[in-house]
Amino acid sequence: KNSFKIIDRTFKCHNLNGHGINNLNSAISESCNTYFYNLGIKSGANNLLETASNLNFGKSIRICNGITTAKGNLPTLEKLQNIAHLANFSIGQGDFTATPISLLPLYCAIATDGKYYMPSIIEGTTQNGKLTKYDYGSPTRVFSKSTADKLKDALRLVVTEGTGVLGNPK
């Protein structure tokens, strides 16, 4: 389906012809907004906000001594009670903002079986010729290995047959 009507507003997919029937893999590989509107609404505002918070969205990230990222923004639970705001949040739009660095914990967690270390731009510090490795802390588990594997497979499809294929007009 190429559109999703919420109250009096029609949310459209970037593919105005629609994608046909989707599953998670095809929705990610084809960047199908309407699939994620439905998924976000079914998942619920509480679950989406909790996962986003666990991934440090809406928080500043210290990438080394004295340098932190902008914190970005998460919508409030109150605002997400409006289904239109929840739909927008489900595709990373609306009141949601993030820096490129704040996306790292998500992709790191996908690559490392559902857990991640906070990003840093330094390996360590050197004093008197001796390297002291930066302490990244303990990894944080944000989702299961099974979920990470499913997301890896879907993201691989983006560049092998989806919207990320070079020259793909999708």
Side-chain angles (χ1 to χ4, degrees), residues 67-130:
I67 299 177
T68 58
T69 65
K71 69 177 189 163
N73 188 59
L74 285 176
T76 64
L77 184 57
E78 180 182 342
K79 192 154 198 177
L80 292 180
Q81 299 312 305
N82 177 312
I83 196 169
H85 289 283
L86 181 56
N88 266 335
F89 182 49
S90 297
I91 61 167
Q93 294 185 1
D95 287 346
F96 174 74
T97 60
T99 66
I101 290 175
S102 64
L103 293 170
L104 286 175
L106 169 62
Y107 288 103
C108 181
I110 292 167
T112 58
D113 299 331
K115 57 185 188 260
Y116 72 92
Y117 291 90
M118 290 302 289
S120 173
I121 60 171
I122 63 169
E123 181 179 350
T125 57
T126 304
Q127 188 172 13
N128 298 326
K130 182 179 177 190

Side-chain angles (χ1 to χ4, degrees), residues 154-169:
L155 289 170
R156 190 174 296 111
L157 291 173
V158 172
V159 295
T160 59
E161 55 189 68
T163 56
V165 172
L166 184 62
N168 187 345

Side-chain angles (χ1 to χ4, degrees), residues 3 21 65-66 82 98 119:
S3 66
I21 297 173
N65 290 340
N82 177 312

Side-chain angles (χ1 to χ4, degrees), residues 10-154:
T10 300
F11 288 74
K12 295 186 178 181
C13 192
H14 72 91
N15 181 339
L16 298 180
N17 296 320
H19 296 283
I21 297 173
N22 275 318
N23 60 27
L24 181 64
N25 283 350
S26 62
I28 289 175
S29 73
E30 299 299 325
S31 189
C32 181
N33 291 350
T34 54
Y35 179 92
F36 292 104
Y37 298 145
N38 281 295
L39 182 62
I41 290 166
K42 287 180 182 175
S43 297
N46 286 334
N47 290 328
L48 291 180
L49 274 176
E50 181 180 351
T51 300
S53 181
N54 288 344
L55 288 162
N56 286 302
F57 288 117
K59 301 172 188 169
S60 110
I61 297 173
R62 183 176 149 247
I63 54 177
C64 71
N65 290 340
I67 299 177
T68 58
T69 65
K71 69 177 189 163
N73 188 59
L74 285 176
T76 64
L77 184 57
E78 180 182 342
K79 192 154 198 177
L80 292 180
Q81 299 312 305
N82 177 312
I83 196 169
H85 289 283
L86 181 56
N88 266 335
F89 182 49
S90 297
I91 61 167
Q93 294 185 1
D95 287 346
F96 174 74
T97 60
T99 66
I101 290 175
S102 64
L103 293 170
L104 286 175
L106 169 62
Y107 288 103
C108 181
I110 292 167
T112 58
D113 299 331
K115 57 185 188 260
Y116 72 92
Y117 291 90
M118 290 302 289
S120 173
I121 60 171
I122 63 169
E123 181 179 350
T125 57
T126 304
Q127 188 172 13
N128 298 326
K130 182 179 177 190
L131 175 67
T132 301
K133 293 273 190 179
Y134 182 75
D135 180 8
Y136 294 100
S138 299
T140 301
R141 177 159 298 282
V142 289
F143 42 78
S144 69
K145 179 182 182 325
S146 172
T147 297
D149 289 343
K150 288 176 185 173
L151 291 170
K152 275 186 236 183
D153 291 342

